[in-house]
Amino acid sequence: MSRFAFDHVHLRSPDPDATGAWFTDNLEAVHVRRQEGPGSLRVVLDLGGLNLFIDRVPASTPGVPPAPFLGIEHLALAVKGIDAIVEELRGKGVRIVMEPNNPNPTTRIAFIEGPESVRVELLERS
């Protein structure tokens, strides 16, 4: 058994409340808590079993370059009914970065863009 276990993914945002709302409104994340301290703000979500921490940074903080780039490039969420989900998200104004397609016979994927250019892969395996 490994001594290591997954705990969380940490995002930075000039507006953690708005970023958190995007994930709850579009990807069914569950708001867990909001922690505010002197000069700090963290919104914690449960995104399909993933602990997602969103911390405030100054609005002047540089964003990520266009993908692909070094480092963590995207989050991936397993879904059922990917085509309907993509159409629902499109109707909400979510930017579709890559339309649903089949990279192999048992997998269908699509990419969407979230706040601060966070790319999210939607992945359906048969």
Side-chain angles (χ1 to χ4, degrees):
M1 181 168 168
S2 176
R3 297 177 299 145
F4 301 94
F6 184 80
D7 189 78
H8 69 273
V9 168
H10 208 133
L11 300 180
R12 307 284 186 185
S13 171
D15 189 346
D17 290 317
T19 298
W22 187 92
F23 280 94
T24 58
D25 294 346
N26 294 296
L27 301 180
E28 301 176 2
V30 176
H31 185 270
V32 175
R33 69 181 171 276
R34 185 179 191 275
Q35 299 169 278
E36 195 161 6
S40 68
L41 172 61
R42 173 178 288 171
V43 172
V44 179
L45 306 176
D46 176 338
L47 177 60
L50 169 78
N51 293 315
L52 185 59
F53 295 1
I54 308 167
D55 278 19
R56 181 173 51 213
V57 294
S60 61
T61 303
V64 297
F69 53 86
L70 294 175
I72 295 174
E73 183 188 76
H74 66 271
L75 304 175
L77 299 174
V79 300
K80 296 288 184 198
I82 190 170
D83 294 292
I85 289 170
V86 167
E87 288 310 311
E88 177 185 329
L89 293 170
R90 187 187 322 276
K92 292 180 174 183
V94 172
R95 180 171 177 255
I96 311 302
V97 177
M98 177 191 290
E99 294 292 335
N101 68 86
N102 295 80
N104 66 58
T106 62
T107 307
R108 192 151 174 79
I109 65 171
F111 279 88
I112 61 173
E113 184 177 85
E116 283 69 68
S117 301
V118 171
R119 286 170 36 111
V120 179
E121 179 182 10
L122 304 176
L123 172 73
E124 183 171 24
R125 298 185 195 273
S126 58

